[in-house]
Amino acid sequence: MTAETAELERLRAEDAVHIWRGRAPDVLLAEDIALLSAAELDVVRRRSQQAAVRYAGAHAALRRILARYLGVPPESIRLGRQPCPRCEHPDHGRPRIDWPPSGLDFNLSRSGGHWLLAVVADQQVGADIEDGRAVDVQGASTIVLTDDELAHMRAQPTEELRLDAFFRCWTRKEAVVKASGVGIVADLSALDVRPADDGPVRVTHVEPNGPDTWTVQNLPAGPGLFAALAREAGSTGPVLLRDYRQEFPNQPYADATDDDPYDPALHDTEMEGAHAT
């Protein structure tokens, strides 16, 4: 039997992508821990205190959001991974919902305390969010950008615009390789994401399984943050932004008086998805 709620019916009927944005609390919450699986709790135990808090907060939010589409308790959802399309290893492919069966697909990205979740029905999707202060742009640009992308970045007249161009490339590339299921093992310098175009743009990235062509676009993420979405090129439905704090108002947050949940704070950058640790 396939789970089908009004949320999932609307998502499928509109061929839409729902983009959820949120921010993890500052402390490890019992309400979050109670929702996590044994495997997720093991990750929490193995990480530093700050990383554990952020991981638990983001994954508890993920479960609450998925439960809204699936119509089951958050803690009952079983999450797993598809085999990697390159090496077929079962531990580092695309994330998936093993139970309940639904056709729902998702991709979670985290940058320190901030997280971004893309949810779709019956297609593959990838998302990425990055904090601009967490990467050595000058060093990374020669490794991850194509010649054309590097020339575009260097042609920008100010350091701020060069930073924006780099992260437009970086987040678009990460979104594509996460959608395809290979993640950080992909050669990003071989993937051209056309940063001169505001988008959405059509990008080709071929892996053994799944689509060869993706529609990629920038996403609003908040001051100091950069984000992008990759979806199957045949999908033409709307991309709808949803605020976790507003739609789950009874959940505890780091600062209930904070009017801007996306205001950047000093934090590390981590990626969820294919080949993530």
Side-chain angles (χ1 to χ4, degrees):
M1 180 177 180
T2 300
E4 193 82 4
T5 65
E7 285 273 15
L8 182 52
E9 288 177 358
R10 180 165 68 97
L11 186 72
R12 180 175 283 115
E14 296 177 353
D15 190 27
V17 181
H18 289 179
I19 301 295
W20 293 83
R21 303 177 299 180
R23 183 170 168 181
D26 291 334
V27 296
L28 197 60
L29 300 174
E31 300 94 325
D32 290 344
I33 289 295
L35 301 184
L36 302 185
S37 67
E40 289 166 329
L41 291 173
D42 185 58
V43 173
V44 171
R45 284 190 292 267
R46 290 187 284 107
R47 297 202 171 183
S48 67
Q49 181 177 357
Q50 184 182 64
V53 168
R54 291 168 173 173
Y55 177 92
H59 280 252
L62 165 67
R63 287 178 168 275
R64 292 186 184 104
I65 291 169
L66 293 182
R68 177 172 290 191
Y69 296 92
L70 299 173
V72 299
E75 64 274 17
S76 70
I77 298 170
R78 292 202 302 270
L79 302 176
R81 289 193 180 276
Q82 299 175 5
C84 171
R86 291 190 182 182
C87 69
E88 298 187 356
H89 197 286
D91 291 340
H92 52 229
R94 300 184 71 254
R96 70 182 181 191
I97 300 169
D98 287 338
W99 189 90
S102 64
L104 197 68
D105 191 77
F106 70 94
N107 199 243
L108 175 67
S109 178
R110 296 188 296 120
S111 187
H114 299 270
W115 56 261
L116 183 77
L117 173 68
V119 182
V120 297
D122 307 321
Q123 59 174 294
Q124 294 179 204
V125 69
D128 189 55
I129 185 169
E130 303 286 348
D131 177 356
R133 291 169 295 183
V135 174
D136 173 13
V137 172
Q138 294 304 319
S141 60
T142 58
I143 299 173
V144 303
L145 302 188
T146 67
D147 290 343
D148 287 345
E149 291 168 344
L150 190 60
H152 171 76
M153 187 194 80
R154 289 174 172 171
Q156 302 308 303
T158 67
E159 184 62 29
E160 181 180 3
L161 290 174
R162 287 189 288 273
L163 184 73
D164 183 79
F166 172 80
F167 277 102
R168 175 174 290 196
C169 293
W170 179 281
T171 54
R172 286 181 178 183
K173 289 169 186 275
E174 290 284 5
V176 170
V177 298
K178 291 180 68 183
S180 66
V182 296
I184 59 175
V185 302
D187 179 8
L188 297 184
S189 66
L191 175 61
D192 193 311
V193 292
R194 297 164 53 192
D197 297 333
D198 289 335
V201 299
R202 191 69 62 92
V203 172
T204 299
H205 180 70
V206 180
E207 294 294 341
N209 299 315
D212 295 341
T213 310
W214 306 88
T215 298
V216 186
Q217 66 189 83
N218 306 329
L219 295 172
L225 298 169
F226 304 86
L229 166 72
R231 62 197 300 201
E232 295 186 23
S235 177
T236 58
V239 176
L240 304 177
L241 302 180
R242 307 185 67 169
D243 187 324
Y244 178 72
R245 176 177 292 191
Q246 292 179 3
E247 297 203 39
F248 290 82
N250 295 325
Q251 299 303 321
Y253 297 94
D255 182 358
T257 64
D258 183 5
D259 292 331
D260 180 13
Y262 312 119
D263 184 44
L266 292 175
H267 49 255
D268 56 286
T269 298
E270 301 177 68
M271 187 186 80
E272 292 293 334
H275 292 268
T277 57

